[in-house]
Amino acid sequence: MCACFAKLAGPTGKVFGVEHVKELVEASKVNIAKCDPNLLDQIQIKHGDGFEGWEENGPYDCIYFGAAAPEVPPKVLAQLKPGGRMLLPIGGRTEFHTLTQVDANEDGSKAVVKSLGSVRFTPLTGLHFITVPPKLTIFLMGIFTTPDLADQLSGTHRGGRSYIADTGEGKYFNTINFLYH
């Protein structure tokens, strides 16, 4: 998603991604470099907790979540620029989610929340979630890890994520993207 947002932002835009699986941070950078090395000038990806966001680089014009949160994370909402927009699925771990648009008022007084319909995403997980046992294969809506990858990530993987891990070709997509231009 970072590469897609970098293309949308244009050559002067900046994109910041947060991923809680350390191995996917570097894999994402490698894959972006394979597709378009120039995009790495616009993109920064860090290991961190999506529930916390990336405060140091905010405020952001746009914040996109690629996984469902139980509610709008207050720490991330505080990083939205006045007049900015956040798009995220909201709901529990085992139910359909509401695709939610959050628009920050220009004066920063409050946010306007709008439902855009029902969707299904994997749940947002963070650094505070329990570890998935080694040798476990996770399969959620075509989003998967293999037993080998689960072994590699057993100390950091905290459950289903909104990424595709293809160990044959090494394709990874990260979870939360922040955009400003």
Side-chain angles (χ1 to χ4, degrees):
M1 289 305 300
C2 283
C4 293
F5 280 119
K7 290 284 191 179
L8 288 171
T12 60
K14 298 289 183 192
V15 177
F16 302 90
V18 177
E19 173 57 63
H20 84 273
V21 179
K22 282 184 183 181
E23 291 81 357
L24 294 181
V25 173
E26 283 307 311
S28 295
K29 292 175 186 176
V30 167
N31 287 326
I32 291 168
K34 286 179 187 177
C35 294
D36 186 346
N38 294 326
L39 289 179
L40 291 175
D41 295 335
Q42 296 176 249
I43 298 171
Q44 292 181 43
I45 304 170
K46 79 167 188 169
H47 175 250
D49 190 330
F51 288 100
E52 302 292 320
W54 196 341
E55 188 174 6
E56 302 85 83
N57 293 307
Y60 302 98
D61 293 307
C62 176
I63 299 174
Y64 168 79
F65 280 72
E71 62 184 11
V72 176
K75 289 183 178 181
V76 179
L77 180 59
Q79 297 169 38
L80 189 60
K81 184 183 285 186
R85 175 170 287 169
M86 179 187 302
L87 189 66
L88 74 159
I90 295 179
R93 297 179 71 78
T94 60
E95 58 194 41
F96 279 90
H97 307 107
T98 302
L99 187 59
T100 306
Q101 176 181 309
V102 181
D103 292 318
N105 287 335
E106 289 290 340
D107 64 7
S109 61
K110 68 174 191 172
V112 176
V113 179
K114 178 180 177 183
S115 171
L116 301 177
S118 292
V119 293
R120 186 73 169 128
F121 280 72
T122 59
L124 180 66
T125 57
L127 298 174
H128 59 282
F129 279 78
I130 59 172
T131 302
V132 174
K135 300 285 184 187
L136 179 65
T137 299
I138 299 168
F139 184 83
L140 298 169
M141 298 176 45
I143 298 163
F144 61 93
T145 61
T146 65
D148 290 340
L149 184 58
D151 278 349
Q152 293 170 17
L153 305 178
S154 63
T156 57
H157 195 313
R158 309 293 196 262
R161 281 294 269 189
S162 184
Y163 62 80
I164 298 172
D166 179 340
T167 57
E169 296 179 20
K171 295 181 181 175
Y172 298 90
F173 299 87
N174 51 309
T175 299
I176 299 178
N177 302 285
F178 301 89
L179 169 68
Y180 75 88
H181 53 283

